[in-house]
Structures are given as structure tokens and as C-alpha cells.
């Protein structure tokens, strides 16, 4: 990139125009101009539109994903068409005020030991509960779906095919409608995978209700109902969200709304500790879904967490180890036949260790072909999914009945495909050397009878007329070179690819891992069969490599997917080939678009901070994007001024500046947060004169835990407080609750450098100070949304990000 290129001109100030402060709309704390305040000083627009983030107004406006947005709305647009609601940033920074310092000075070794023990106890509980929930999910799915398939098979064996279809389709319809109803009416945020939401939360984005207890409830039971309904979706993505919800519920000390609270968890009422616990929860979710403890740790490291440290590695590893032990114990218990149709299969585990993987140079050619196909199919899958989800948002925004109707429609289509397409496959005579019973009756297997006479089986039915886990197990099975016809594999791949696209986005908890593994394993077998003349690998191994290539092409994860697949299949000799196919498919797909979860984060309007700064940010400085005039408070401020500022803005951070006569010249004291101001105002310890105190009352009256972050949506709001006219004219000393060491940057720092600093430190507010000493002590505040491309483009419409990106790539 040419460092000498001119910096874009500052935006012109237009008389009477509206200066949009994007972060204020979010409520995450800019100390800049209140949202929609006209630059001519009128507050009419502000009062008319208001700021939902500060007042707790969740809003009722809808905005479909299909519409082109010229600026970042900072609102969560759920894939299922949930209402627009405000988003706040999480505050991972340690607030070093007088209360914090006194608290740490007064802590004894016993209290520190108690904190450490409680933290390890919490990660133990997260592992135990997530493991139990993961087992319960699989137990319920195997029994519900198994009973449905058994009833349908019994009717087909009697030749009652039409009734069998109505029983099969009717069960799917009831299960799908039930899942959509509880999701649409109880917790719309539970729809979809949940991985994008967890990823955004760990990046510092606190969207409304994504980790609430109601979301946890719907995630568990909605996932069970949705998978049992025969949808082409998985429960693995929802398990990640479930683990995060469990961690959040434990970390915030329960739920006041549902009268489940534990005051002894007050140590963890802050965003930093909750972030660590939710990272452990997401890792536990992967471990519970795939029985892959190491893969869970790597998933949290590679995909979920934005900040990592060595202590967190130990905790996530301990959590996933607990999950593995719990699952192993519960599965052993079920081997005695006490778990109904759960059987010995249980959680998906595709053991390929009996296949000896010997490969040569010609095999590598086939692997490269698989990687290229996976990259192309993955990029196409993400492109089509983006278009479909934007169309779905128009349907879903009409309300819960339309969400349920869309889900029912997809359920009917899925049932017709699952029941109707196997009729296109010809019956195949059972092999004489079959290891298992042919055809298999009353259980899963490779040889489904379906409509065939005795001694024959329907290979397409063994894929369609099974649970998704059993279908993958059939595709991964070794020694089955001739058991699946090419025509059947082509039909199954086309159906699964299309159904996976149209299913994700309906109002049920749904994961993408299983549809992607199914489709990838199918074309892996196809490629292995077509190129079998130059390769000696088993078709089951080709299915594994095909699944890896499609996972790499859609999700763009490498290390974690590689380890998860190896833990699933217990096939360590395949490690080099899986690594190769993942690298090739990801490289090919990256030329088309982003990974599927990154795309969904953008579609939902979640302000995600990338690990790298965009090239065009190097042409701007920090002072270019801050908004003004600032709303600042004096160190000793009038109560009425604070109350008025809190009522008319949604800001969560305000600079505190000492002015004469307290100091000789204006001096930046630090930053005070909205939540701390509300607690202090609620105590009503006001003064009649503007005099700086020692803060002893605050230190005696309050403890650090009085200012701790409450549970979801349960904190004090300015509307909860009432003041007399006399109180409004009094003063309050803000020094004891002011963070005296906020992070600051000079206004001439490049925006790219400021963005990297902001993300790496996990900040919510970054103060911009002037370069010249004779100016006011603060220029503005940089917050998450000041770094968003939509915000920057709205300030500099003539800035062409693509030009700078191309120049940097060429350089």
C-alpha cells in the first residue's frame, strides 16, 4: 500500500443536517452527540425518535435483511425475522476507580482462594450440565425419531404405503410445528445455529436475550423436536449455543426473573469472568455434540473466542474432559438396554479405525480434486444461503404465524423428498457375504427394505429413511464399495444440498454441521467411485475426506474441524489427507466469499470487530471518526445535569473533566459508566455545594459488588429513579466511581492502529485526546461502531474501500 496516498478529506459539516452517532444508537457508550441530535441544536428529532438502548425500549420496527442498508443500524436482525432491538457492547476493561482499588487492597488470601475455587467449580458444573444435556438431546432424538420410523416401517411391510406416508409426514409436521411455535413465541433468538451469536458475544457484542434462560429452554427442546422432525439439520451448532447459555446462567448467579439466584456468585458479576465461562461453555457444547473434547477446545480457540490466554486453555480443556467423562459414563449405562432405542450407537461416532489407510501419489491427485470440489461447493453453498436467508427475513418479519407456516412448508417438502425419492431407486439383491442382516428391519442399517421384496434392499432408503446420524454412519461405513448406486448417491446429494439450504433459516434451532457432513460425504463417495481406478482408498475414507472438504469450504475452519473429524472416526492415519483437503478447500472457497458464520454475523447486523484492520483505515486517523460535541461531566456535577443527560441519551460512558475552581486548568479525570452513575444517584447522597470530597462516604456506603453487573436486563434504569426539584439542584462527587486509567489514544493515530488496539484489549470505550496541549483535554470517544464500515462510509461517502483494498493487495 502506498503510504504517501492522500488522506480522504474530513466530512463537511452541513447546516441543519443530522449527525448520526452510530454507537449512541447502540447504547454502548459513546460520549458523543446524542443520536439524531440536529447540528443546529434542536432536540426535536431526539425526542421524537428516542434511543431505545438507554431507555430499555426494544423497538417494534422491522427491517428485512433483503433491503440495502447504507449505514449500520446496529440492530440485531435475526435470521427468523425477530424484532429490531438495540445492541450493547460488553465491557471487558477493569474499571480502576477508588472502589476497585479499595476492594483489591482489602481482599484476604481466603477470599482470593475462594474466588479461584469457585471459578473451577463453575467450569466443572458447566461440563457436567452440558454433558447431561448433550446426552439427553441424543436420547430423546433417537427414541422419538426411532418410534416414528419404526411405525412407518411396520406399515410399509404390510403394504400400506399411503397410510405409512401420512403417519411419517404427520409426525414430522407435528414435531416441526411444535418446534417452530415454542421458538417463535417464547425465544426467537433461539432460532438458527447460535454459533454466530456466541462468536459475536465473545467478540464483545451483547445482543438482547441471546443467552437468556428462555433461549436455553427453547434451544434444548426446539433442537430435539426439529431433529426428530426429519429436517436436514443438526443439533451440533445448537449445542454450542446451549453450552454458552448454561455458562451464562451460572456466571450471572441464576435468573431473578425465574427466581433462581445465588448471591454467592457475586464474584463473577462482570463481563470478563462471564466471557471466560462462556468460552468454556462453547467448547463444552462441541465436546458434547461430537464426543470430541480436544476438538471442542480448538473450536473455541479458532472460531469462537476473540481473546485467548493460557489460563483459559486449561479451563476449557478441563471442561471438555468433564464432558467426555460424563458422556462415556451415560453411554455405558445405556448399553444395558435401559435407554429405549438409544442403543449402542448413541452419540455420533463413526469408527473407521478398522480400515487400514495406505495411500500413494495417485491418491493425492484424488484428494486435490476433492479439495477443489469442496471449495467450489462450499462457496456456492454460502452464496445461495445468503440469498435464501434474505428472502426468508421478509416472510418471517410478518410475525410468528408466518414463521410457523414457513417451517411447516419446509417440513412437508422434506417429508415428501425423504419418503418419495427412495421410490426412484431400484431394488438391489442382498449381498451373499453381508456382515449384517439384509434387509435390516426394526433398526438402522445399510440395507433398508422399504418397498422391496424379501432378499432385496433399497440403498437410497438407507440414507433418506434414517436419522441424519445413521445416514452419515452408513456413508462412512467401510467395505461397502457396491452397496450404493451412483444414481442413488447423485439423487441424495442433490436433495441434501438443496434441503440443507432451504431448511436453515426456519424458526427452529438448527445446525449446519450435519447437512454439510452429509452432502460432503455423499460427493466424496461419488468422487471415490468415479476415480476408483487410480486410487485404492476405501469409499468410507473418501466419504470422510469429502465431508472434510465441504466443511472447509463452508465454515473455513481447519485445525478444529480436522481434530473433530479424527476424534469422530478414530482414524489417526488419515490426518495428513484430512489436513491437505481442508487447506485446499478453504483456499479455494476464500476466493469467493467469507465463511458461513461470518456471513450470518454480518446479515444479523452484529457489529463484529475483525482481527485485522481494513486497508482503507490506514488513510484515516482517530480524530476523523469521533462525533461531537461531547457530553462530559465535571468531577463534582449537578444532579440535574446527570439525570438530563441519562434521560436524553443512551450512552454508557461519559468523560469526567475537572474544571476550575477544582483545578487550575481543565483536566481529564477519567471515564464514568452509566450503570455506576445510576447506583450512585439511587443512594441520593448529594451535596448542596460544589465541593470535592474525599469520597469516604462512597467507600463506606458501597462495596465493589454493589456496582457489579446485574443479570440480563435487570439493572437500574433512569426511569426507575425519581428526584425532587431540590435534589435536582444539588451536587454529587463522581471521583470515587470514575475509572481514572481509561485507555487513550492521540487524535493523530491511524484508525487502523486504533482498531487493532481496541479489539486486542477488548475495549468498550477508547478516549481520543488532543495532540496540542492548549485544547480541551478530550476530543471524543471511539467505540465499536466507529470502526464499522457502514459508519465510516456514511462519514466519508467518497472513500472507496475497494480501491484501497485492491491497492494493498497489489502491493
Amino acid at each position: 500500500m502506498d503510504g504517501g496516498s492522500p488522506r480522504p478529506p474530513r466530512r463537511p459539516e452541513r447546516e441543519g443536517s443530522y449527525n448520526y452517532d452510530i454507537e449512541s444508537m447502540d447504547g454502548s457508550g459513546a460520549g458523543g452527540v446524542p443520536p439524531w441530535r440536529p447540528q443546529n441544536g434542536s432536540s426535536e428529532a431526539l425526542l421524537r425518535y428516542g434511543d431505545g438502548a438507554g431507555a430499555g425500549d426494544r423497538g417494534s420496527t422491522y427491517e428485512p435483511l433483503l433491503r440495502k442498508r447504507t449505514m449500520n443500524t446496529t440492530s440485531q436482525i435475526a435470521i427468523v425475522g425477530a424484532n429490531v432491538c438495540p445492541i450493547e457492547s460488553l465491557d471487558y476493561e477493569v474499571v480502576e476507580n477508588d472502589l476497585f482499588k479499595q476492594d483489591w487492597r482489602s481482599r484476604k488470601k481466603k477470599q482470593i482462594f475462594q474466588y479461584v475455587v469457585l471459578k473451577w467449580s463453575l467450569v466443572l458444573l458447566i461440563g457436567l450440565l452440558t454433558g447431561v444435556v448433550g446426552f439427553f438431546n441424543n436420547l430423546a432424538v433417537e427414541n422419538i425419531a426411532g418410534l416414528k420410523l419404526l411405525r412407518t416401517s411396520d406399515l410399509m411391510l404390510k403394504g400400506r404405503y399411503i397410510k405409512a406416508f401420512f403417519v411419517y409426514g404427520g409426525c414430522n409436521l407435528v414435531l416441526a410445528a411444535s418446534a417452530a411455535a415454542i421458538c417463535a413465541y417464547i425465544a426467537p433468538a433461539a432460532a438458527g445455529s447460535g454459533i454466530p451469536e456466541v462468536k459475536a458475544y465473545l467478540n464483545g457484542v451483547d445482543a438482547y436475550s441471546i443467552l437468556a434462560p428462555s433461549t436455553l429452554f427453547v434451544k434444548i427442546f426446539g433442537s430435539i423436536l426439529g431433529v426428530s422432525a426429519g429436517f436436514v439439520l443438526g443439533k451440533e451448532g445448537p449445542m454450542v449455543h446451549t453450552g454458552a447459555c448454561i455458562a451464562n446462567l451460572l456466571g450471572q448467579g441464576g435468573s431473578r426473573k425465574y427466581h433462581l439466584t445465588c448471591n454467592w456468585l457475586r464474584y463473577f458479576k462482570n463481563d470478563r469472568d462471564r466471557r471466560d465461562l462462556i468460552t468454556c461453555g462453547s467448547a463444552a457444547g462441541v465436546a458434547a455434540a461430537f464426543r470430541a473434547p480436544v476438538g471442542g477446545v480448538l473450536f473455541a480457540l479458532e472460531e469462537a473466542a476473540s481473546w485467548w490466554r493460557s489460563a483459559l486453555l486449561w479451563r476449557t480443556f478441563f471442561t471438555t474432559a468433564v464432558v467426555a467423562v460424563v458422556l462415556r459414563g451415560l453411554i455405558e449405562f445405556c448399553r444395558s438396554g435401559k435407554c429405549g432405542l438409544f442403543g449402542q450407537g448413541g452419540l455420533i461416532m463413526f469408527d473407521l479405525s478398522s480400515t487400514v489407510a495406505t495411500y500413494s501419489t495417485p491418491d493425492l491427485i484424488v484428494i486435490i480434486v476433492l479439495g477443489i470440489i469442496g471449495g467450489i461447493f462450499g462457496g456456492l453453498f454460502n452464496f445461495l444461503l445468503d440469498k435464501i436467508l434474505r428472502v426468508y427475513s421478509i416472510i418471517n418479519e410478518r410475525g410468528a404465524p408466518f414463521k410457523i407456516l414457513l417451517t411447516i412448508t419446509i417440513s412437508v417438502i422434506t417429508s415428501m423428498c425423504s419418503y418419495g425419492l427412495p421410490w426412484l431407486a431400484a431394488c438391489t439383491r442382498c449381498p451373499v457375504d453381508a456382515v449384517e442382516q439384509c434387509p435390516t428391519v426394526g433398526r438402522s442399517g445399510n440395507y433398508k427394505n422399504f418397498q422391496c421384496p424379501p432378499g432385496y434392499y433399497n440403498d437410497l432408503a438407507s440414507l433418506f429413511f434414517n436419522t441424519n446420524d445413521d445416514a452419515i454412519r452408513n456413508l462412512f461405513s467401510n467395505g461397502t464399495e457396491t452397496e450404493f448406486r451412483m444414481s442413488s448417491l447423485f439423487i441424495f446429494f442433490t436433495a441434501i444440498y438443496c434441503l440443507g439450504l432451504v431448511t436453515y433459516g426456519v424458526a427452529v434451532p438448527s445446525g449446519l454441521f450435519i447437512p454439510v457432513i452429509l452432502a460432503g460425504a455423499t460427493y466424496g463417495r461419488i468422487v471415490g467411485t468415479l476415480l476408483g481406478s487410480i486410487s485404492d482408498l476405501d469409499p468410507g475414507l473418501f466419504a470422510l475426506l469429502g465431508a472434510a472438504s465441504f466443511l472447509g469450504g463452508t465454515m473455513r475452519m481447519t485445525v478444529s474441524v480436522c481434530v473433530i473429524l479424527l476424534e469422530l472416526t478414530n482414524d489417526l492415519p488419515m490426518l495428513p489427507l484430512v489436513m491437505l483437503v481442508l487447506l485446499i478447500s478453504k483456499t479455494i472457497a476464500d476466493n469467493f466469499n467469507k465463511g458461513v458464520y461470518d456471513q450470518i454475523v454480518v446479515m444479523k447486523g452484529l457489529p463484529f470487530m475483525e482481527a485485522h484492520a481494513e486497508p482503507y483505515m490506514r488513510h484515516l486517523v482517530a480524530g476523523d471518526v469521533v462525533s461531537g460535541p461531547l457530553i462530559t461531566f465535571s468531577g463534582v456535577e449537578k444532579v440535574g445535569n446527570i439525570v438530563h443527560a441519562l434521560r436524553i441519551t443512551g450512552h454508557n460512558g461519559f468523560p469526567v473533566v475537572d474544571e476550575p475552581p477544582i483545578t487550575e486548568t481543565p483536566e481529564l479525570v477519567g471515564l464514568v459508566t452509566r450503570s455506576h452513575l445510576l447506583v450512585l444517584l439511587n443512594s441520593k447522597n448529594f451535596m448542596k455545594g460544589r465541593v470535592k470530597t474525599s469520597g469516604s462516604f462512597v467507600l463506606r456506603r458501597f462495596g465493589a459488588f454493589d456496582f457489579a453487573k446485574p443479570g440480563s436486563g435487570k439493572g437500574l434504569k433512569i426511569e426507575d429513579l425519581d428526584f425532587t426539584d431540590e435534589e435536582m439542584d444539588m451536587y454529587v462527587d463522581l471521583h470515587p466511581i470514575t475509572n481514572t486509567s481509561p485507555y487513550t489514544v492521540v487524535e493523530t493515530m491511524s484508525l487502523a492502529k486504533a482498531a487493532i488496539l481496541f479489539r486486542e484489549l477488548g475495549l468498550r470505550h477508547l478516549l481520543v485526546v488532543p495532540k496540542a496541549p492548549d485544547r480541551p483535554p478530550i476530543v471524543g470517544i471511539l467505540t465499536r461502531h466507529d470502526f464499522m464500515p457502514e459508519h465510516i462510509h456514511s462519514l466519508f461517502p467518497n472513500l472507496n474501500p475497494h480501491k484501497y483494498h485492491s491497492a494493498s493487495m497489489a502491493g
Side-chain angles (χ1 to χ4, degrees), residues 601-625:
V601 165
V602 173
M603 283 189 287
K604 284 184 173 240
L606 298 171
F608 189 86
M609 293 279 299
E610 297 289 350
H612 60 276
E614 296 296 335
Y616 62 83
M617 289 184 178
R618 300 172 191 170
H619 296 260
L620 300 169
V621 296
D624 288 333
V625 298

Side-chain angles (χ1 to χ4, degrees), residues 277-295:
L277 293 176
I278 290 170
T279 302
C280 293
S282 64
V286 174
F290 292 107
R291 287 173 64 187
V294 179

Side-chain angles (χ1 to χ4, degrees), residues 413-495:
I413 294 173
T414 304
S415 298
M416 292 175 66
C417 290
S418 301
Y419 189 87
L421 290 178
W423 290 87
L424 300 177
C427 293
T428 306
R429 183 180 293 275
C430 290
V432 293
D433 57 344
V435 178
E436 60 180 79
Q437 177 189 356
C438 179
T440 52
V441 179
R443 60 184 180 84
S444 62
N446 288 43
Y447 307 106
K448 285 292 183 181
N449 179 265
F450 207 65
Q451 89 288 8
C452 296
Y456 289 80
Y457 72 95
N458 187 318
D459 60 340
L460 195 51
S462 68
L463 300 175
F464 271 118
F465 220 61
N466 255 325
T467 61
N468 293 331
D469 291 356
D470 288 331
I472 295 175
R473 193 173 286 109
N474 291 342
L475 287 169
F476 279 13
S477 59
N478 51 49
T480 55
E481 293 87 349
T482 61
E483 291 181 9
F484 297 98
R485 298 171 182 264
M486 287 293 292
S487 58
S488 298
L489 291 175
F490 272 110
I491 292 172
F492 184 71
F493 169 73
T494 304

Side-chain angles (χ1 to χ4, degrees), residues 20 173 228 255 283 355 517 747 774 776 788:
Y20 291 95
L173 191 65
S228 301
S255 170
T355 303
I517 291 175
E747 60 181 336
D774 56 343
M788 294 297 107

Side-chain angles (χ1 to χ4, degrees), residues 138-288:
N138 282 271
L139 180 66
V141 168
E142 291 288 332
N143 281 280
I144 295 173
L147 288 172
K148 174 189 68 179
L149 294 170
L150 277 178
R151 178 59 178 161
T152 307
S153 299
D154 290 342
L155 291 172
M156 294 189 72
L157 289 174
K158 298 175 183 178
R160 304 167 71 176
Y161 299 117
I162 296 178
K163 184 177 181 181
F165 171 71
F166 281 106
V167 169
Y168 178 74
C171 290
N172 287 343
L173 191 65
V174 171
L175 292 169
S178 302
I182 63 173
C183 185
Y185 286 107
I186 298 178
S193 166
I195 292 178
E197 288 87 344
V198 173
K199 184 176 179 178
Y201 185 95
L202 294 177
N203 188 260
V205 180
D206 189 12
Y208 178 65
S209 78
I210 61 173
L211 298 176
S214 58
T215 304
L216 172 62
F217 171 82
V218 174
K219 208 73 183 183
I220 295 173
F221 292 97
S223 178
I224 292 172
L225 294 171
V227 176
S228 301
F231 280 125
V232 182
L233 51 82
K235 51 188 176 295
E236 286 66 32
M239 270 305 304
V240 176
H241 198 175
T242 298
C245 289
I246 291 173
N248 180 68
L249 186 64
L250 292 174
Q252 71 180 18
S255 170
R256 293 184 184 178
K257 180 179 178 182
Y258 300 100
H259 305 291
L260 300 171
T261 56
C262 298
N263 291 329
W264 54 274
L265 291 178
R266 63 187 184 275
Y267 288 113
F268 304 96
K269 292 184 178 292
N270 62 82
D271 288 331
R272 289 176 64 87
D273 283 321
R274 287 185 194 172
R275 177 186 66 187
D276 290 351
L277 293 176
I278 290 170
T279 302
C280 293
S282 64
V286 174

Side-chain angles (χ1 to χ4, degrees), residues 708-756:
K709 183 175 180 178
S712 304
K714 294 298 180 183
L716 276 174
K717 296 181 175 59
I718 189 61
E719 292 78 15
D720 302 331
L721 306 181
D722 188 27
F723 302 97
T724 64
D725 292 339
E726 182 182 359
E727 289 172 334
M728 296 285 275
D729 289 330
M730 299 178 75
Y731 291 86
V732 61
D733 189 358
L734 302 182
H735 289 92
I737 63 169
T738 300
N739 181 7
T740 55
S741 58
Y743 287 95
T744 60
V745 296
V746 70
E747 60 181 336
T748 54
M749 176 183 282
S750 73
L751 192 61
K753 192 173 182 180
I756 294 173

